Amino acid sequence: MKIIKKIKFTTLVIIVSICITSCNSTPNSLESNLQSDSIPSIIDTLTAPISITDNTNIENTENTTASIKKEEIPKILIYNFHVTNRCASCIAIENATKKTLDTYFKSELDKGIIKFSILSVDDDANAKIAEKYQAFGSALFVTRVFKGKETTSDFTGDGFKYAKNKEEKFIEILKNQITEYLK
Amino acid sequence: MKKILFILFLALTNCTLFAQTQNLNKKTKLLVYYFHITDRCNTCRSIEAVTTKVLNENYKNELDSEIIVFKTFNVEYPENKYICEKYQAYGATLALTKIEFGAEVKIDDLTNFAFSKIHTEEIFTKGLMDKINEYLK
């Protein structure tokens, strides 16, 4: 009988001690967690960073892909400068340039890969761009923009030489350069 | 007979064309040709004016002794058709031709240079003089 009582008491002691130990340990760990981080911050740590990281990565990847795609396609900027009183050659240069673009580069124009601007150097609004290209009168420049680098060819001389009386020759020269710049 | 006439015709034509372009003094070392259309713009006129000025101010002796020959041509005149074809000058064109012993050695087309530099006269003048000096050596 005594033995049975002893076993019961021991068992009880063990159960109580287990309960006490477990009850003490859990609050301690929670306490330590709560002390170091607030609940929202824990939630943040567990959830937000993952989603943000993922989004950032996606966004970055998309941006990178988009920028690579953008950078991989060269852009062509064509500037035709003129004064207010235009001569026959100057008008011929504009017309032949338009004809070249409409005939051979219509889709690039529509997509914005090629941009054609006709600018009067007498207009104050064009002063900055005219200064950049050192355009003081009639002039035709073709600029290739690729990976942030600009390469410019000056077609003013060829324009004056050919556009009026040998248009097909001028068109050929311009077409070849634009085709080369699009590569 | 027809063959002989044809050969004579060719010979005469060539002689005429040769004379049109090659009426050269033995001393001649350089041809400076400027081509233009009838309806000229200020830039085209400036190129001719500054080229004339460069030659008159710096190469007067060479011009007088025909070491340098300076000529201007209207590309729209029929009489200039051959020379314009030869120089591929269908509009404003500035060309230097190097001559050695009465024969053409090289044609240097300065049209693009002229149109891009004429607005800064000193740069155009220096570039043109550098070229001329090179061909006079």
Side-chain angles (χ1 to χ4, degrees), chain B residues 91-110:
Chain B
T93 304
L94 177 65
L96 303 190
T97 307
K98 188 183 180 185
I99 307 292
E100 275 180 10
F101 309 110
E104 290 175 6
V105 176
K106 181 187 176 187
I107 293 175
D108 194 355
D109 189 337
L110 297 185

Side-chain angles (χ1 to χ4, degrees), chain A residues 54-70:
Chain A
D54 281 347
N55 284 340
T56 313
N57 280 343
I58 289 164
E59 277 170 19
N60 280 344
T61 312
E62 280 172 355
N63 281 341
T64 313
T65 315
S67 61
I68 285 169
K69 275 179 186 169
K70 273 179 194 170

Side-chain angles (χ1 to χ4, degrees), chain A residues 87-89 136-137 154-158 160-162 164-166 169, chain B residues 37 39 41 75-76 87-88 90-93 109 111-112 115-116 119:
Chain A
C87 70
S89 294
F136 304 99
D154 184 348
F155 286 92
T156 314
D158 288 319
F160 275 94
K161 189 171 176 179
Y162 299 117
K164 185 175 176 288
N165 292 328
K166 198 78 173 174
K169 173 92 175 169
Chain B
I37 59 171
D39 181 10
C41 68
V75 300
E76 287 163 353
Y87 281 85
Q88 293 282 292
Y90 303 98
T93 304
D109 189 337
T111 312
N112 278 324
F115 274 93
S116 65
H119 302 287

Side-chain angles (χ1 to χ4, degrees), chain A residues 15-75:
Chain A
I15 289 167
V16 167
S17 71
I18 286 170
C19 282
I20 289 167
T21 320
S22 66
C23 283
N24 277 340
S25 70
T26 309
N28 273 346
S29 68
L30 269 179
E31 227 174 65
S32 67
N33 279 339
L34 288 172
Q35 274 170 359
S36 61
D37 297 305
S38 64
I39 290 170
S41 74
I42 291 167
I43 293 166
D44 283 347
T45 341
L46 293 173
T47 55
I50 295 167
S51 60
I52 289 167
T53 309
D54 281 347
N55 284 340
T56 313
N57 280 343
I58 289 164
E59 277 170 19
N60 280 344
T61 312
E62 280 172 355
N63 281 341
T64 313
T65 315
S67 61
I68 285 169
K69 275 179 186 169
K70 273 179 194 170
E71 281 179 1
E72 279 175 350
I73 303 167
K75 251 191 151 184

